[in-house]
Amino acid sequence: MTVGTDSPAQARSAAPDAPEGPDGPSLAAPGVHGIDPDELPDGLVVADATGHVVCFNAAAARITSVPPGEALGLPLDQALPLEDLKGRRWWTLTDPYGGLATRRGQPERNLLLPGGREVLVSARYVREHPTGPVRRVVVSLRGTEARRRTERSHAELIATVAHELRSPLTSVKGFTATLLAKWERFTDDQKRLMLETVDADANRVTRLIAELLDISRIDSGRLEVRRQPVDIAAAVGRHIQAHTTGGQSPDRFFIRVRPQLPDLWADPDKVDQVLGNLLENAVRHGEGTVTIEVAPTSDTPDGEKGTAVTVSDEGPGIPEESMGRVFTRFWRGSKRGGTGLGLYIVKGIVEAHGGTITVGRGPRGGAEFRFILPVGAPAYLA
């Protein structure tokens, strides 16, 4: 077993050649099957049967800040001095070479490098046969940045939900307590106003809970799409009517429906959710005329027929530097309320249908959202 010394790069990535064992393929040296440890995205550290490091790739050097030349040849516990979160030395606890002969490795866990920097570590013990001596210890290292971003996202979600729930629930509690305590003191008009406020706040809470459920399903890939024939032009008309009934001028909206729309099979409730969110954003955050265009298209991910819906306004639009963040969680185009979750959910719904959604600048300067849904017809109609 040797470590190549022709060049620093060869020495850094050298690994012992070995045939395939019962645990799977052995680590190949550079050039074998085109595998170069330095090309791996995660840190890789390999120790031989004597416990000395024979491979220390570039990612491991970056994560640990230890030059490969210093790590090669050292005992594993010196090249990679890891501690658990209680300050105990990890290699002493796990004892890969002298512990139970049936162990195959260690699952991923948070450990500490010198200086207190956290790193995600997993290990595999390679044996010639299930209870034989350890021939190699293969250690994988990953930074914790991605996990920290996920944890921050979850914390932001909890904070947003708590903030959004507090106001309507405080209103509901206050009005119901007041009515119960002083029912006889209020006129019928006053009672009706209070109950209408309670009803509106209850609807707000219901919508927020529905958004949370949608986010959970999108993140876990469990968002179900119940396809039915959908008349998307009629759906647009219903949403426009709802806005005009709510006080918007009919002149605020311009609908253009192109001829020869293909039959569309989609989830009608979720299509309504997408249209409602995009129109609400255009009315609330945009200015001038809101234009909705429905047109046939072949510009789908699979090249099949589909329907494209474009919603644009004449407001200031979305800054160029914010375009890439529009469909992320908690993005808000203005400070006019909202959870910042709507467009994230819209993107998830469209993609669950096999479609795409984009954002850009409209012909009159405002924001323009365009989503495309493939026909999505069942196989028996193809």
Side-chain angles (χ1 to χ4, degrees), residues 47-269:
D48 62 14
T50 66
H52 291 80
V53 173
V54 293
C55 177
F56 202 87
N57 75 345
R62 184 183 67 252
I63 292 170
T64 62
S65 299
V66 175
E70 294 182 8
L72 289 170
L74 288 178
L76 184 57
D77 60 344
Q78 295 181 25
L80 203 60
L82 297 166
E83 296 182 351
D84 66 12
L85 301 183
K86 295 181 180 179
R88 299 173 296 186
R89 297 186 66 83
W90 192 55
W91 297 114
T92 302
L93 288 174
T94 57
D95 192 12
Y97 293 93
L100 292 174
T102 57
R103 290 185 305 171
R104 297 172 62 88
Q106 295 291 333
E108 186 175 74
R109 65 191 66 197
N110 273 47
L111 295 174
L112 300 177
L113 291 168
R117 182 183 176 190
E118 287 190 26
V119 64
L120 297 173
V121 180
S122 59
R124 180 181 172 211
Y125 308 155
V126 180
R127 307 174 187 270
E128 289 185 356
H129 52 84
T131 57
V134 173
R135 293 177 51 216
R136 285 199 305 276
V137 174
V138 181
V139 183
S140 174
L141 305 175
R142 292 196 298 129
T144 58
E145 292 81 5
R147 178 171 293 186
R148 289 188 181 279
R149 285 195 296 269
T150 301
E151 291 173 351
R152 282 197 299 270
S153 179
H154 290 166
E156 289 175 3
L157 181 59
I158 292 171
T160 298
V161 170
H163 174 76
E164 293 293 328
L165 285 175
R166 180 182 301 169
S167 177
L169 289 179
T170 300
S171 172
V172 168
K173 176 64 177 175
F175 278 122
T176 52
T178 301
L179 287 170
L180 288 171
K182 303 176 182 179
W183 179 267
E184 301 298 336
R185 300 186 186 182
F186 297 107
T187 65
D188 288 345
D189 289 341
Q190 290 173 324
K191 293 174 185 176
R192 174 177 292 278
L193 177 61
M194 290 184 185
L195 290 174
E196 287 175 347
T197 304
V198 169
D199 183 63
D201 285 333
N203 288 336
R204 181 177 166 187
V205 172
T206 302
R207 285 194 302 272
L208 179 59
I209 292 173
E211 285 184 346
L212 295 176
L213 290 174
D214 285 337
I215 286 176
S216 173
R217 293 172 183 140
I218 290 169
D219 288 347
S220 62
R222 294 185 294 107
L223 187 66
E224 295 182 3
V225 175
R226 296 179 173 87
R227 295 183 184 273
Q228 302 174 35
V230 173
D231 186 342
I232 198 163
V236 170
R238 288 196 305 271
H239 282 277
I240 299 302
Q241 185 177 6
H243 280 284
T244 56
T245 303
Q248 292 292 328
S249 170
D251 295 335
R252 178 92 193 268
F253 303 96
F254 177 73
I255 304 175
R256 181 188 295 115
V257 180
R258 301 293 185 181
Q260 298 181 338
L261 292 177
D263 295 333
L264 176 64
W265 286 71
D267 190 316
D269 292 335

Side-chain angles (χ1 to χ4, degrees), residues 286-303:
E287 298 173 4
T289 301
V290 176
T291 301
I292 306 97
E293 180 177 7
V294 184
T297 183
S298 297
D299 192 21
T300 63
D302 296 330

Side-chain angles (χ1 to χ4, degrees), residues 227 299-302 304 306-307 346-358 370-375:
R227 295 183 184 273
D299 192 21
T300 63
D302 296 330
E304 63 174 310
T307 301
V346 162
K347 183 173 186 288
I349 291 174
V350 170
E351 291 180 347
H353 281 82
T356 58
I357 183 168
T358 57
R370 184 173 188 259
F371 69 91
I372 297 173
L373 298 178
V375 168

